[in-house]
Amino acid sequence: MQRVVYYPDGRYKFTTITISTGGIVGESKATILDSTDTTTADLITYTGGDSTGLLVNELGALFRDFYLRVNTVTQKASGAGIKINPGTTNENYTSLITNVEVRNVPTSVFTTNSSFITISNCYFSFYSDYGIWEDNNVAAFEDNGDNGIINNWFYTNRPNAIGIKYRGGGGRIIGNKINQGLIGIDVSPLRSTSVILIEANSIEGQTNSCIRFITEGGAAAIAFTQVTIIGNQINGYAATGSAIQIQPTAYILYQLLISNNIIQFYTDLANA
């Protein structure tokens, strides 16, 4: 049974919330969830998952139509606004996060061991670590993912922040606006995977690369296939990094299409 908690418009104070089924639905952005937590804890944690292999939990979580923020004087050092984490032996399927605003949390949304998640029409602001961090680096779910990150707006003034960090299987990153931070879209696979579509995003103001593919932590040689980067608008000004950086030091990258991107670099055109 899905147990969705509904909050009418209003302001609600809390510290942290943990749920295992259902989700949270507000009435509009005037539904304000104010966390007073100053620790490194995540604000809202969803733990629902499936360990049977039968997709019994494929209904996933639902988060919709509310404004989540940290309402404290002290900035949190770490933690996520919404975290989907079913555990290392489970997997979460078909969760939806839409029309949610997350403000002033180090990582706005963190998902792990999750497939077929859609994050759409959200606004993530003033994150210091990641706007969205998708981490599927678990052996049991090597090439799973196929998540959609579509039509979201990212804004931060934190110099080391990354808009979208994607470490998992196939994904669709389409139509997002990512403004400022260190890197706009950072794809860093640790396992063989395929089918990444990065299309029609507007990325500007990064102090390093706007779109980057790179391997982390000395991973063994893996295959990364069917990568499409098409129709993006990229405005950068970094003295280091590139508009599009492909650095496959520990993986084999092929079936790569880069086409019809509009690139403008204010500092050094060679960086494009």
Side-chain angles (χ1 to χ4, degrees):
M1 179 182 296
Q2 296 290 90
R3 300 183 182 276
V4 174
V5 179
Y6 173 70
Y7 289 87
D9 283 351
R11 183 180 173 192
Y12 305 87
K13 285 191 174 183
F14 72 104
T15 50
T16 63
I17 298 171
T18 299
I19 55 178
S20 60
T21 185
I24 294 175
V25 172
E27 187 173 351
S28 69
K29 293 288 184 65
T31 298
I32 302 172
L33 305 184
D34 268 336
S35 173
T36 58
D37 182 68
T38 58
T39 72
T40 60
D42 305 301
L43 303 188
I44 299 173
T45 303
Y46 182 87
T47 61
D50 173 31
S51 60
T52 67
L54 300 176
L55 305 186
V56 295
N57 197 52
E58 61 187 346
L59 292 176
L62 174 62
F63 297 102
R64 189 184 73 205
D65 300 328
F66 61 87
Y67 177 16
L68 173 65
R69 67 186 183 186
V70 174
N71 187 28
T72 62
V73 175
T74 304
Q75 169 69 32
K76 285 170 61 69
S78 62
I82 297 174
K83 181 176 184 178
I84 296 178
N85 182 14
T88 58
T89 60
N90 296 346
E91 188 169 16
N92 177 270
Y93 299 90
T94 66
S95 289
L96 173 63
I97 302 173
T98 187
N99 197 34
V100 170
E101 180 172 347
V102 182
R103 181 183 178 93
N104 206 32
V105 184
T107 296
S108 299
V109 173
F110 174 77
T111 72
T112 184
N113 306 343
S114 302
S115 294
F116 316 118
I117 285 180
T118 299
I119 303 172
S120 67
N121 300 303
C122 294
Y123 176 32
F124 306 122
S125 61
F126 298 103
Y127 49 89
S128 55
D129 294 331
Y130 310 101
I132 294 175
W133 181 12
E134 193 285 334
D135 187 3
N136 242 30
N137 181 34
V138 178
F141 316 118
E142 289 184 356
D143 191 30
N144 288 8
D146 296 310
N147 301 312
I149 301 173
I150 303 169
N151 292 343
N152 302 287
W153 183 22
F154 301 77
Y155 173 77
T156 186
N157 59 2
R158 310 301 169 85
N160 296 317
I162 294 175
I164 299 171
K165 182 176 178 64
Y166 202 86
R167 184 198 281 172
R172 295 164 292 117
I173 302 173
I174 303 172
N176 301 282
K177 172 70 174 184
I178 304 174
N179 196 342
Q180 299 194 47
L182 181 69
I183 297 171
I185 298 173
D186 190 39
V187 182
S188 50
L190 292 179
R191 305 184 188 280
S192 295
T193 188
S194 63
V195 190
I196 292 282
L197 174 62
I198 299 176
E199 180 179 5
N201 301 282
S202 176
I203 306 169
E204 64 179 57
Q206 279 66 42
T207 57
N208 200 283
S209 295
C210 296
I211 298 174
R212 183 176 76 165
F213 283 71
I214 192 168
T215 305
E216 298 178 346
I222 60 177
F224 197 149
T225 68
Q226 302 177 51
V227 175
T228 301
I229 304 172
I230 187 170
N232 300 283
Q233 179 182 348
I234 300 173
N235 296 326
Y237 67 89
T240 59
S242 306
I244 300 173
Q245 177 185 359
I246 310 292
Q247 189 175 347
T249 56
Y251 58 84
I252 304 164
L253 180 64
Y254 59 96
Q255 295 177 338
L256 167 66
L257 172 64
I258 301 175
S259 176
N260 287 30
N261 300 283
I262 299 174
I263 298 173
Q264 181 175 3
F265 253 67
Y266 297 109
T267 304
D268 185 351
L269 187 60
N271 284 357

